[in-house]
Amino acid sequence: MSSPSSQPSKFAPYKEALAALSQRTRTPLPSLVISFALLHELTAIIPLVGFFYGSRALGIGEGVVRAVAPPQSTAGRPEQGESSGGFLSRFRDTWIGERFREWMVEGEVRAERVGRRYGWFGFEKGSKVNEATAESQSMRAASALVSGRIAGDVANAVVAYALTKTLLPIRVGASLWLAPAFSRAFVQPVGSIFTRVFRR
Protein backbone atom coordinates (compact mmCIF):
# COMPACT_ATOMS: atom_id res chain seq x y z
CA MET A 1 0.00 0.00 0.00
CA SER A 2 1.49 3.32 -1.07
CA SER A 3 1.41 6.33 1.18
CA PRO A 4 0.17 9.69 -0.15
CA SER A 5 3.64 11.19 0.35
CA SER A 6 5.19 8.69 -2.09
CA GLN A 7 3.05 9.96 -4.97
CA PRO A 8 4.87 12.57 -7.09
CA SER A 9 3.50 16.08 -6.95
CA LYS A 10 2.64 18.09 -10.02
CA PHE A 11 5.74 20.22 -9.33
CA ALA A 12 8.12 17.23 -9.36
CA PRO A 13 9.36 17.85 -12.94
CA TYR A 14 10.13 21.47 -12.10
CA LYS A 15 11.97 20.49 -8.92
CA GLU A 16 14.09 17.98 -10.82
CA ALA A 17 14.87 20.48 -13.58
CA LEU A 18 15.78 23.19 -11.07
CA ALA A 19 17.97 20.80 -9.04
CA ALA A 20 19.85 19.75 -12.19
CA LEU A 21 20.18 23.40 -13.25
CA SER A 22 21.45 24.31 -9.80
CA GLN A 23 24.17 21.68 -9.95
CA ARG A 24 25.15 22.55 -13.51
CA THR A 25 25.35 26.33 -12.92
CA ARG A 26 26.64 26.11 -9.32
CA THR A 27 23.82 28.38 -8.18
CA PRO A 28 22.25 27.73 -4.75
CA LEU A 29 18.89 26.00 -5.17
CA PRO A 30 16.86 28.34 -2.91
CA SER A 31 17.93 31.47 -4.80
CA LEU A 32 17.39 29.63 -8.09
CA VAL A 33 13.82 28.73 -7.08
CA ILE A 34 13.12 32.33 -6.04
CA SER A 35 14.60 33.56 -9.34
CA PHE A 36 12.47 31.14 -11.34
CA ALA A 37 9.31 32.18 -9.46
CA LEU A 38 9.99 35.90 -9.94
CA LEU A 39 10.84 35.48 -13.62
CA HIS A 40 7.80 33.28 -14.19
CA GLU A 41 5.55 35.99 -12.76
CA LEU A 42 7.32 38.74 -14.70
CA THR A 43 6.96 36.76 -17.93
CA ALA A 44 3.22 36.61 -17.22
CA ILE A 45 2.64 40.22 -16.16
CA ILE A 46 4.66 41.94 -18.90
CA PRO A 47 3.00 40.12 -21.85
CA LEU A 48 -0.44 40.44 -20.22
CA VAL A 49 -0.11 44.22 -19.96
CA GLY A 50 1.48 44.44 -23.41
CA PHE A 51 -1.23 42.36 -25.08
CA PHE A 52 -3.96 44.31 -23.27
CA TYR A 53 -2.72 47.72 -24.37
CA GLY A 54 -1.81 46.40 -27.83
CA SER A 55 -5.29 45.02 -28.45
CA ARG A 56 -6.79 48.18 -26.98
CA ALA A 57 -4.69 50.44 -29.24
CA LEU A 58 -5.47 48.35 -32.32
CA GLY A 59 -9.12 47.84 -31.33
CA ILE A 60 -9.00 44.11 -31.98
CA GLY A 61 -10.27 42.65 -28.68
CA GLU A 62 -13.91 42.36 -29.67
CA GLY A 63 -13.03 41.10 -33.14
CA VAL A 64 -10.83 38.31 -31.78
CA VAL A 65 -13.52 37.29 -29.29
CA ARG A 66 -16.13 37.15 -32.07
CA ALA A 67 -13.74 35.28 -34.39
CA VAL A 68 -12.82 32.58 -31.87
CA ALA A 69 -16.26 32.15 -30.28
CA PRO A 70 -18.45 29.47 -31.84
CA PRO A 71 -20.77 31.15 -34.34
CA GLN A 72 -24.37 31.60 -33.35
CA SER A 73 -26.63 29.90 -35.82
CA THR A 74 -30.22 30.55 -36.69
CA ALA A 75 -32.26 27.50 -37.65
CA GLY A 76 -29.08 25.45 -38.03
CA ARG A 77 -27.55 27.79 -40.64
CA PRO A 78 -24.11 29.32 -40.02
CA GLU A 79 -23.78 33.01 -39.33
CA GLN A 80 -23.86 35.26 -42.41
CA GLY A 81 -20.44 35.46 -44.06
CA GLU A 82 -19.28 32.26 -42.35
CA SER A 83 -18.48 29.54 -44.83
CA SER A 84 -18.57 25.99 -43.62
CA GLY A 85 -14.99 25.33 -44.76
CA GLY A 86 -13.41 28.69 -43.87
CA PHE A 87 -10.27 29.13 -41.83
CA LEU A 88 -12.10 30.30 -38.72
CA SER A 89 -14.49 27.37 -38.70
CA ARG A 90 -11.59 24.94 -39.10
CA PHE A 91 -9.63 26.74 -36.34
CA ARG A 92 -12.62 26.65 -33.99
CA ASP A 93 -12.91 22.89 -34.40
CA THR A 94 -9.28 22.17 -33.52
CA TRP A 95 -7.83 21.38 -30.12
CA ILE A 96 -6.05 24.75 -30.15
CA GLY A 97 -9.29 26.60 -30.83
CA GLU A 98 -11.01 24.75 -27.99
CA ARG A 99 -8.16 25.51 -25.56
CA PHE A 100 -8.13 29.16 -26.63
CA ARG A 101 -11.87 29.39 -25.93
CA GLU A 102 -11.37 27.80 -22.49
CA TRP A 103 -8.66 30.35 -21.70
CA MET A 104 -10.93 33.15 -22.91
CA VAL A 105 -13.70 31.99 -20.58
CA GLU A 106 -11.19 31.77 -17.73
CA GLY A 107 -9.90 35.23 -18.67
CA GLU A 108 -13.42 36.67 -18.63
CA VAL A 109 -14.00 35.32 -15.12
CA ARG A 110 -10.70 36.79 -13.92
CA ALA A 111 -11.27 40.11 -15.70
CA GLU A 112 -14.68 40.43 -14.05
CA ARG A 113 -13.25 39.58 -10.63
CA VAL A 114 -10.44 42.15 -11.00
CA GLY A 115 -12.80 44.70 -12.53
CA ARG A 116 -15.26 44.42 -9.65
CA ARG A 117 -12.49 44.57 -7.05
CA TYR A 118 -10.69 47.66 -8.42
CA GLY A 119 -13.41 49.33 -10.50
CA TRP A 120 -11.75 48.57 -13.85
CA PHE A 121 -13.18 47.57 -17.24
CA GLY A 122 -16.45 49.42 -16.61
CA PHE A 123 -17.36 47.54 -13.41
CA GLU A 124 -18.37 49.39 -10.26
CA LYS A 125 -15.66 49.19 -7.60
CA GLY A 126 -16.55 46.73 -4.84
CA SER A 127 -19.68 45.46 -6.57
CA LYS A 128 -20.58 41.85 -5.92
CA VAL A 129 -21.75 39.34 -8.47
CA ASN A 130 -25.10 37.70 -7.70
CA GLU A 131 -23.83 34.17 -8.31
CA ALA A 132 -20.87 33.60 -6.01
CA THR A 133 -19.76 30.12 -7.09
CA ALA A 134 -16.86 29.71 -9.50
CA GLU A 135 -18.85 27.24 -11.59
CA SER A 136 -21.72 29.67 -12.11
CA GLN A 137 -19.27 32.43 -13.05
CA SER A 138 -17.63 30.14 -15.61
CA MET A 139 -21.02 29.20 -17.07
CA ARG A 140 -21.99 32.87 -17.34
CA ALA A 141 -18.63 33.70 -18.96
CA ALA A 142 -19.01 30.85 -21.45
CA SER A 143 -22.48 32.04 -22.44
CA ALA A 144 -21.15 35.60 -22.78
CA LEU A 145 -18.40 34.33 -25.08
CA VAL A 146 -20.85 32.41 -27.27
CA SER A 147 -23.38 35.24 -27.41
CA GLY A 148 -20.73 37.87 -28.18
CA ARG A 149 -21.61 40.01 -25.15
CA ILE A 150 -17.93 40.50 -24.24
CA ALA A 151 -16.93 43.99 -25.35
CA GLY A 152 -14.59 46.89 -24.72
CA ASP A 153 -11.76 46.53 -22.23
CA VAL A 154 -13.15 43.22 -20.97
CA ALA A 155 -12.65 41.80 -24.48
CA ASN A 156 -9.12 43.23 -24.54
CA ALA A 157 -8.37 41.68 -21.14
CA VAL A 158 -9.80 38.32 -22.26
CA VAL A 159 -7.66 38.30 -25.40
CA ALA A 160 -4.56 39.37 -23.43
CA TYR A 161 -5.13 36.59 -20.89
CA ALA A 162 -5.62 33.92 -23.56
CA LEU A 163 -2.55 35.03 -25.52
CA THR A 164 -0.45 35.04 -22.35
CA LYS A 165 -1.63 31.51 -21.56
CA THR A 166 -0.54 30.37 -25.04
CA LEU A 167 2.97 31.60 -24.24
CA LEU A 168 3.25 29.35 -21.16
CA PRO A 169 5.81 26.89 -22.64
CA ILE A 170 7.98 29.78 -23.84
CA ARG A 171 7.62 31.57 -20.49
CA VAL A 172 8.68 28.47 -18.53
CA GLY A 173 11.66 27.87 -20.81
CA ALA A 174 12.76 31.50 -20.66
CA SER A 175 12.37 31.55 -16.87
CA LEU A 176 14.51 28.41 -16.52
CA TRP A 177 17.13 29.77 -18.90
CA LEU A 178 17.35 33.20 -17.22
CA ALA A 179 17.05 31.98 -13.60
CA PRO A 180 20.80 31.38 -12.92
CA ALA A 181 21.87 34.81 -14.23
CA PHE A 182 18.96 36.54 -12.46
CA SER A 183 19.88 34.73 -9.26
CA ARG A 184 23.51 35.86 -9.41
CA ALA A 185 22.66 39.43 -10.46
CA PHE A 186 19.66 40.13 -8.24
CA VAL A 187 18.50 37.48 -5.76
CA GLN A 188 21.85 36.59 -4.17
CA PRO A 189 22.97 40.25 -3.69
CA VAL A 190 19.59 41.18 -2.19
CA GLY A 191 19.70 38.06 0.00
CA SER A 192 23.18 38.93 1.27
CA ILE A 193 22.03 42.46 2.13
CA PHE A 194 19.10 41.08 4.13
CA THR A 195 21.41 38.59 5.84
CA ARG A 196 23.84 41.36 6.89
CA VAL A 197 21.02 43.59 8.16
CA PHE A 198 19.35 40.87 10.24
CA ARG A 199 22.61 39.53 11.71
CA ARG A 200 23.33 42.83 13.44
Side-chain angles (χ1 to χ4, degrees):
M1 196 159 127
S2 65
S3 65
S5 61
S6 66
Q7 295 177 354
S9 72
K10 64 180 180 177
F11 298 111
Y14 297 115
K15 290 178 186 176
E16 293 168 6
L18 285 171
L21 188 63
S22 173
Q23 288 178 347
R24 191 171 62 239
T25 60
R26 298 175 198 252
T27 307
L29 186 59
S31 67
L32 193 63
V33 169
I34 292 169
S35 297
F36 175 77
L38 289 172
L39 286 169
H40 185 65
E41 291 305 313
L42 282 173
T43 59
I45 293 168
I46 292 169
L48 185 69
V49 171
F51 286 138
F52 174 78
Y53 284 108
S55 65
R56 180 191 236 186
L58 297 172
I60 60 171
E62 293 176 38
V64 171
V65 169
R66 278 194 304 272
V68 175
Q72 288 184 296
S73 59
T74 55
R77 295 191 319 263
E79 197 176 53
Q80 185 179 9
E82 179 73 26
S83 63
S84 60
F87 170 75
L88 288 178
S89 64
R90 285 189 302 226
F91 176 75
R92 286 184 195 117
D93 295 336
T94 63
W95 177 84
I96 296 169
E98 181 63 32
R99 285 300 288 165
F100 202 77
R101 276 194 300 279
E102 289 173 12
W103 291 332
M104 289 177 72
V105 168
E106 187 179 322
E108 203 276 332
V109 169
R110 290 179 185 259
E112 182 178 359
R113 189 178 308 141
V114 168
R116 288 182 187 281
R117 174 178 239 167
Y118 299 108
W120 295 348
F121 313 132
F123 290 101
E124 185 179 328
K125 184 176 182 176
S127 63
K128 300 287 183 201
V129 65
N130 293 337
E131 303 154 353
T133 66
E135 186 176 316
S136 62
Q137 286 180 328
S138 293
M139 294 297 290
R140 191 176 67 252
S143 68
L145 179 66
V146 170
S147 67
R149 290 193 319 251
I150 299 175
D153 278 346
V154 174
N156 295 329
V158 165
V159 168
Y161 182 84
L163 289 173
T164 303
K165 289 288 273 192
T166 61
L167 293 177
L168 182 63
I170 296 168
R171 289 174 35 222
V172 169
S175 298
L176 281 172
W177 186 65
L178 293 170
F182 188 73
S183 175
R184 286 189 293 272
F186 181 74
V187 175
Q188 289 175 354
V190 169
S192 65
I193 290 169
F194 276 111
T195 302
R196 274 186 266 135
V197 166
F198 287 113
R199 278 191 181 165
R200 292 181 182 175

